[in-house]
Amino acid sequence: MSQVQSNIATQGFSRRRPGMGAPVEKPKDGGKTLRRLIRYFREERRYVLYLALAVVLAVLAGVFAPRLQSGVIDDLVARDFSAIPKALAMMLGLYIVHGCATLLQGFLSARLGQRVVYRLRRELFGKVIELPIPYLDSHSHGDLMSRMTNDAENVSNVISSSLSSLFSGVLTLIGTVIMMLSFSLPLTALTCVTVVLSVLVTKVLSKYMRRYYLKRQQLLGQLNGIVEEKVSAGKTVTAYNLQEATIRDFAATSDALTKTGIIADAIGNAMGPLMNMINNVSFVIVAAVGAWFALKGMISVGVISAFIVYSKQFSRPINELAQLYGQIQTAVAGAERIFSILDEPSEDKSGEDSLRISKGVIEFKHVDFSYVPGKQVIYDFNLKVEAGKKIALVGSTGSGKTTVVNLLMRFYDIDSGSITVDGVDIRDISSDVLRDAVGIVLQDSVLFTDTVRNNLKYADPSISDKKMIEAAESANCDKVVAALPDGYDSVLTAAGANLSQGQRQLLTIGRAFLSFPKILVLDEATSSVDTRTEKQIQNAMVELMKNRTSLIIAHRLSTIRDADEIVVMEQGHIIETGTHESLLRQKGNYYKLYMTQFAGQAT
């Protein structure tokens, strides 16, 4: 048998699988998830059909080539050269067909995988955007991102690199067994015995490989966590002079990862040599027994040659299918995690779309609320905010100020009572309509990695540049924009990391201007800036609050002296209401908060 023929038998009909020996994550209901995943292939029927044809062509070429080789060798032994040129030409054609079909198979698999995962990712991202705020608040954002990236990539890898191998492996097994049985039943049985030995060795090694690869992944995660935490907290580490201790912590985890990695790779690398050894032993046994059969006149020399090739072809897909099982399990588990998000109920945005909020009168009536059942945080909350009035909510941390805003925005649903806007229960108003009427400026200014122009026009990209510039001037952020290299076309890197906190806050106020809200919510908008910048922001907020119903959450009490009414909250209750002067005269809780701040103490 030629070296070319040997290479084709052992390598040409297979492709190295990525991720061999990786830890297997098993799905909870693999059958259901797999059936659901298969539905995504329905819209790609054309590519599935082309892929199936390419696989069948490659398998047929691989299965029939050794049979032709057997005939050529028998003709050589019999010194009958008349049919050899035709047979060699057919073998050459089969090898060319096999090569082209394999190339096409790889291309179609990659395209099919990317198209399926594109739809999965698109659906998943659309679902994440529509998830209720309570879900996002109670689940790790990193885990959601992992499902979008790692889990989707696992599915893509299996489709692009393993799906066709699975089909071709099964077809190759069937075709090879049929061909071997047509030649010799005893040699077929002998080949099956050595294959069983290969499967047993693979099973034992895979058990240890999974254990050490899983441990390596866990240690790698720990190491990444240490690096991320210590690098992001680099100033703190340096300030406390703990560089050496940090290096020791890193080194300890790194050493454990190195030792585990050596063992894992050693076991993983042993798989190939052991399989080769077993296959070579099988090669020798088949050759020896086949030679004895040939001497007895039971088979020809050509059959021995074909059987040697078929024995290698037979063991190869079995080993590959054993490895593919783990990869498919991991991919199905990833798909299951993706589907679990897709099955989550979207945010309830029900309500009347035709309603329009014209005045902005807000009223809370006997509102009770709990984030977690049995742990109430808002108790019998009653508050009415007339159109155009400025109402301030103050209180210590955890008193429920921000919760009130969350309830007004329908981020969370109340347990009892009602919240109305212009006399209509907010549950009867579409969330889109309600939120279009409300502008929010948060304590943590949120900007996007985009141009200043697009950040300001975030609520409505169709707003004219003239209105945008007017809003920037009213928000006192026009000077900030003028100092940027490209003005309104300057790109805010890392969501505004190239700006100060005060500058970012001024831009968010400008964005709120351009949303033209009837109701304005200011959630501690000046708590994280210096006094000078606070004055600029206050001036901008005064402009923004003109003729608008405003709900102000304030930590710095000096910023709300001109509020029409101040509501003092404590543990979900309203304990005081009044103007700044009247509350000071009462010398109650507000007076204590104000005097504590005036004295420079924390509240």
Side-chain angles (χ1 to χ4, degrees), residues 222-223 226-227 229-230 237 242-256:
Q222 293 178 21
L223 195 68
I226 291 174
V227 173
E229 183 180 63
K230 300 306 180 183
V237 172
L242 289 174
Q243 295 94 325
E244 292 298 326
T246 301
I247 292 173
R248 285 196 298 271
D249 290 343
F250 175 87
T253 306
S254 181
D255 289 346

Side-chain angles (χ1 to χ4, degrees), residues 422-443:
D422 286 352
V424 182
D425 195 306
I426 61 172
R427 288 169 290 193
D428 297 327
I429 306 173
S430 165
S431 292
D432 293 337
V433 173
L434 175 65
R435 292 166 189 168
D436 281 343
V438 181
I440 295 185
V441 179
L442 301 171
Q443 175 184 356

Side-chain angles (χ1 to χ4, degrees), residues 98-117:
H98 175 267
C100 293
T102 302
L103 288 174
L104 183 61
Q105 179 180 318
F107 170 76
L108 291 172
S109 296
R111 189 170 181 83
L112 179 63
Q114 290 303 317
R115 288 176 67 91
V116 169
V117 172

